[in-house]
Amino acid sequence: MTQLKRALAGEITPEMQKVAFQEKIEAEKIRDLVARGLAVIPANKNHRHLSPVGIGQGLRTKVNANLGTSPTFPDWKNEIEKLKISLSCAVDAVMDLSTGGDIQTCRREIIAQSPVPVGTVPIYEAAVKAREDSRAVVEMTPDELFAVIAEQAAQGVDFITVHCGVTRRIVEKLKNRPRVLGIVSRGGSMTAGWILHNRKENPLYEQFDRLLGICLAHDVTLSLGDGLRPGCLDDATDAAQIEELQVLGELVQRSRAAGVQVMVEGPGHVPFDQIAANVVLQKRLCHGAPFYVLGPLVTDVAPGYDHIAAAIGGTAAAAAGADFLCYVTPAEHLGLPTADDVREGIMASRVAAHAADIVKGSAYIRERDSAMAVARRDLDWPAQIKLALDPQKAQEVRQDRNPDEQEVCSMCGEFCAIDMVNKYLHRQDD
Amino acid sequence: MTQLKRALAGEITPEMQKVAFQEKIEAEKIRDLVARGLAVIPANKNHRHLSPVGIGQGLRTKVNANLGTSPTFPDWKNEIEKLKISLSCAVDAVMDLSTGGDIQTCRREIIAQSPVPVGTVPIYEAAVKAREDSRAVVEMTPDELFAVIAEQAAQGVDFITVHCGVTRRIVEKLKNRPRVLGIVSRGGSMTAGWILHNRKENPLYEQFDRLLGICLAHDVTLSLGDGLRPGCLDDATDAAQIEELQVLGELVQRSRAAGVQVMVEGPGHVPFDQIAANVVLQKRLCHGAPFYVLGPLVTDVAPGYDHIAAAIGGTAAAAAGADFLCYVTPAEHLGLPTADDVREGIMASRVAAHAADIVKGSAYIRERDSAMAVARRDLDWPAQIKLALDPQKAQEVRQDRNPDEQEVCSMCGEFCAIDMVNKYLHRQDD
């Protein structure tokens, strides 16, 4: 029985109760959102020590960090280090995208050590296995791919990205309707390559019910990948992207009908003024399914600063209704992120998510900003540090830049505006 | 003769020609924008070696970096170091906000070494002089303040922030209409303190024509400060802020009538969904005057990451029509920025400005993004580095994270989507 099936049966699960407590929302409201598919609680029955997280309409915007080895950096211990940093940065979910070294151990360790939901992209492991057999990625068989999915589901993976919407029809069209950057989704490109090489339909689309069966058994949440997400501003919101989104909308309905929780992934690289439209379109075509965006990046020319480009796009997306932000790190487009990059990426996404939540309506979110304003008025530094999204960083900068240990700060010193106002404006009120 | 007067007389000045060349716009169009006050070219006749910059409607969004000593960090040589870094980051303007040490030398050196326009907030120097005389800041005399303005104008300052809109009436109202954070503008708080202490009208408002006379003599552009800008989300877009904006709108008309170039400063701390409204209101109430925003910051709880909060707000503001972004550094609310903070702050603002310019309409801006997309498709790394907003940073990350010197990058290695697409999708097209 999945969270969705139990919600439809009228049951308020312990997971729903925990989510309700975190979100300061009544548990019955959470049950209703899950029942209608407007929210998901990725919670694999085999993921021990999971603190369940709700993703969807009316809930706090969540942040995901991508972890995982690569062929160049295959040491899984580095990724456990990044997991710890991610958790210390209050990340809401992580994905293990490993493609190098001992990926089985890496995934097992991440699941074992992560209290937040863990996602994967199973086709990566299938691709690695094909290569280990000295075959091309596109020579993997559908049975091999489904075996990987079943094994990962049994290991406790809470949500999986599957590029079911990259259909043969769309890939054939793409050949005659060129984009600048074709396909930039790794899983999407493997799927398209497989379709073209084998001249067959995408097995994850063709055998979608088989996929649903695996998810049902362990309550794995589907994250329908956007294999055709734009990889540059010039490809944004084009026919290929929207056609895939329509397919995903149909698969959302089939998933819900089967009792499988489902969310939908989105772009990508999108000009600032197209972001809200992308969210509206996804919410309509996908029947209100939770929307998980990668960025979006509002420019193509910010390598080294793509966490900032993503924070800008992420705020615009979440303010328009996106529910889940996949972080982007300063290393995006350049290489695998370091631990520092992971920290920077998460914090940038958390700023974006919080800025959007302030305008999304949950009153309790904004109480923190109101308290910070009061702490600043009172020059109450311990309170300012405590209320900061990253108290450690705020404390470090404050200490480093305040050698005289003044009550004010080193930007204005005795010319502090707040000091001046407290002296002449507020005291005259008393 | 100011740029405005010459524009009104139908003259296309060398400064207008240079701006036209940079902006890829006809010189006559620039002259028309300057004549109508929709754009300014801050260019003090005494600022030698200035490369003029246009700020306003239809022009590229510009970025300012605040420099300057403080009582805690009085060494002006550090600020010259920050100026050099700012120029290497392609900043469009700098402000010298010095309040510590030898502020005369600091300003002279910044003007001498800066090819970009230099702004100041003259009341700071007047405040420092009062303190040097062992008087309170609020004991400065109007004549002392005007003497500082005249001296700075003669030294070649291109634009000055003056808090003319902090009138006695508004300050009195503020006593009975409390805000959480009263006044957070340093110059605004000094002005309000002066008004309350002396029980007199703001001299910069009362003797506005005297101010215009100084500006006329050297073609100093007025930047009408928003002394009542909100210092927290809870104070945003309130009656005090809007009332000051109405006063500034009247002063814009008086400046233009006198032939003095003028722009208007804006908030501050503003929830994401109020930013566009703030820009629309400023443009209407201030008759299309160029809008210079500080941030805006979309949350109060991001100390250590306020450059990101400002980049989010800055993009929203500039996309809605703001023309000039004042950077915010990671040290904001915590202390005087280091040289590294200055670099981070400028780059975050440049990402924001560029993201907004992409949707503002100048076609040539977006060509860079289009070229980057092609460079990524072709895995052309030298082109990718060259097209990056910060080529040095991009190159450093690329080198650091690519020990094998692969054609692909270390995130995906042999599982590179672009490689896959080039192999299966594009080659089948040939």
Side-chain angles (χ1 to χ4, degrees), chain A residues 70 234 305 336 370 390 401, chain B residues 234 305 336 370 390 401 410:
Chain A
S70 75
D234 286 340
Y305 302 91
L336 198 73
S370 298
D390 184 345
R401 300 303 283 168
Chain B
D234 286 339
Y305 303 90
L336 198 74
S370 298
D390 185 346
R401 300 302 286 166
S410 62

Side-chain angles (χ1 to χ4, degrees), chain A residues 70 72 131 138 175 186 234 299-301 305 336 369-370 389-390 401 406 410 414-415 424 429, chain B residues 70 72 131 138 175 186 234 299-301 305 336 369-370 376 389-390 401 406 410 414-415 424 429:
Chain A
S70 75
T72 311
R131 295 295 298 127
V138 295
K175 288 168 64 177
R186 230 185 318 180
D234 286 340
T299 170
D300 299 339
V301 297
Y305 302 91
L336 198 73
D369 295 75
S370 298
L389 288 179
D390 184 345
R401 300 303 283 168
Q406 302 175 89
S410 64
E414 65 166 317
F415 303 106
Y424 291 98
D429 277 343
Chain B
S70 75
T72 311
R131 295 296 299 127
V138 295
K175 288 169 65 177
R186 229 185 320 181
D234 286 339
T299 170
D300 299 338
V301 296
Y305 303 90
L336 198 74
D369 295 75
S370 298
R376 286 192 172 135
L389 287 179
D390 185 346
R401 300 302 286 166
Q406 302 174 90
S410 62
E414 66 166 318
F415 303 107
Y424 291 97
D429 278 341

Side-chain angles (χ1 to χ4, degrees), chain B residues 240-261:
Chain B
Q241 181 196 327
I242 304 309
E243 192 161 338
E244 183 189 26
L245 195 60
Q246 287 175 287
V247 174
L248 299 186
E250 292 163 19
L251 298 180
V252 163
Q253 288 186 306
R254 286 176 63 186
S255 304
R256 287 179 181 168
V260 171
Q261 299 192 92

Side-chain angles (χ1 to χ4, degrees), chain A residues 102-412:
Chain A
D102 183 355
I103 63 178
Q104 284 271 351
T105 301
C106 188
R107 186 170 56 247
R108 278 208 197 88
E109 287 294 325
I110 286 178
I111 293 170
Q113 299 192 36
S114 173
V116 300
V118 175
T120 60
V121 186
I123 199 172
Y124 293 177
E125 185 177 2
V128 169
K129 285 188 165 169
R131 295 295 298 127
E132 282 171 356
D133 281 356
S134 301
R135 288 178 291 153
V137 167
V138 295
E139 289 171 340
M140 71 172 76
T141 70
D143 285 347
E144 287 168 350
L145 177 55
F146 279 104
V148 165
I149 295 171
E151 188 184 32
Q152 293 193 3
Q155 286 171 351
V157 170
D158 301 291
F159 61 102
I160 56 172
T161 296
V162 276
H163 300 88
C164 308
V166 180
T167 63
R168 192 172 183 188
R169 192 176 68 123
I170 291 176
V171 173
E172 290 294 341
K173 271 194 191 177
L174 207 57
K175 288 168 64 177
N176 304 317
R177 196 168 52 187
R179 292 173 132 189
V180 178
L181 264 174
I183 300 176
V184 296
S185 151
R186 230 185 318 180
S189 75
M190 290 174 183
T191 305
W194 193 95
I195 290 169
L196 290 167
H197 176 80
N198 296 286
R199 300 177 191 274
K200 286 186 181 160
E201 183 53 282
N202 176 355
L204 292 175
Y205 177 75
E206 200 168 51
Q207 302 183 52
F208 191 66
D209 290 334
R210 183 176 176 186
L211 181 62
L212 292 176
I214 297 170
C215 292
L216 263 185
H218 304 277
D219 198 1
V220 174
T221 298
L222 281 181
S223 188
L224 296 176
D226 55 332
L228 297 173
R229 70 166 175 271
C232 62
L233 300 185
D234 286 340
D235 289 344
T237 330
D238 74 347
Q241 181 196 325
I242 304 310
E243 192 161 339
E244 183 189 26
L245 194 60
Q246 287 175 287
V247 175
L248 299 185
E250 293 163 18
L251 299 180
V252 163
Q253 288 185 307
R254 285 176 64 185
S255 303
R256 287 179 182 169
V260 171
Q261 300 192 90
V262 62
M263 55 186 169
V264 173
E265 298 182 15
H269 292 237
V270 185
F272 185 72
D273 60 352
Q274 293 178 23
I275 291 174
N278 267 268
V279 177
V280 170
L281 205 56
Q282 184 276 349
K283 286 281 176 180
R284 277 292 291 150
L285 293 178
C286 297
H287 317 284
F291 196 20
Y292 178 24
V293 291
L294 179 52
L297 295 168
V298 291
T299 170
D300 299 339
V301 297
Y305 302 91
D306 273 331
H307 60 309
I308 295 175
I312 295 167
T315 304
D323 307 286
F324 193 19
L325 304 182
C326 186
Y327 86 163
V328 174
T329 81
E332 185 75 18
H333 296 110
L334 297 168
L336 198 73
T338 63
D340 276 347
D341 292 328
V342 167
R343 184 193 304 277
E344 288 294 309
I346 293 172
M347 289 313 305
S349 286
R350 283 192 62 210
V351 171
H354 184 77
D357 285 338
I358 283 167
V359 304
K360 263 182 169 176
S362 291
Y364 84 92
I365 295 279
R366 194 161 156 170
E367 287 168 10
R368 186 170 183 165
D369 295 75
S370 298
M372 178 66 93
V374 171
R376 286 192 172 134
R377 179 194 64 198
D378 297 342
L379 292 170
D380 179 349
W381 287 96
Q384 289 182 54
I385 300 299
K386 195 177 154 199
L387 289 162
L389 288 179
D390 184 345
Q392 191 185 332
K393 169 91 180 271
Q395 176 68 15
E396 282 167 10
V397 178
R398 163 81 179 150
Q399 275 184 332
D400 180 52
R401 300 303 283 168
N402 188 27
D404 306 342
E405 299 186 8
Q406 302 175 89
E407 192 199 6
V408 292
C409 91
S410 64
M411 182 178 271
C412 306

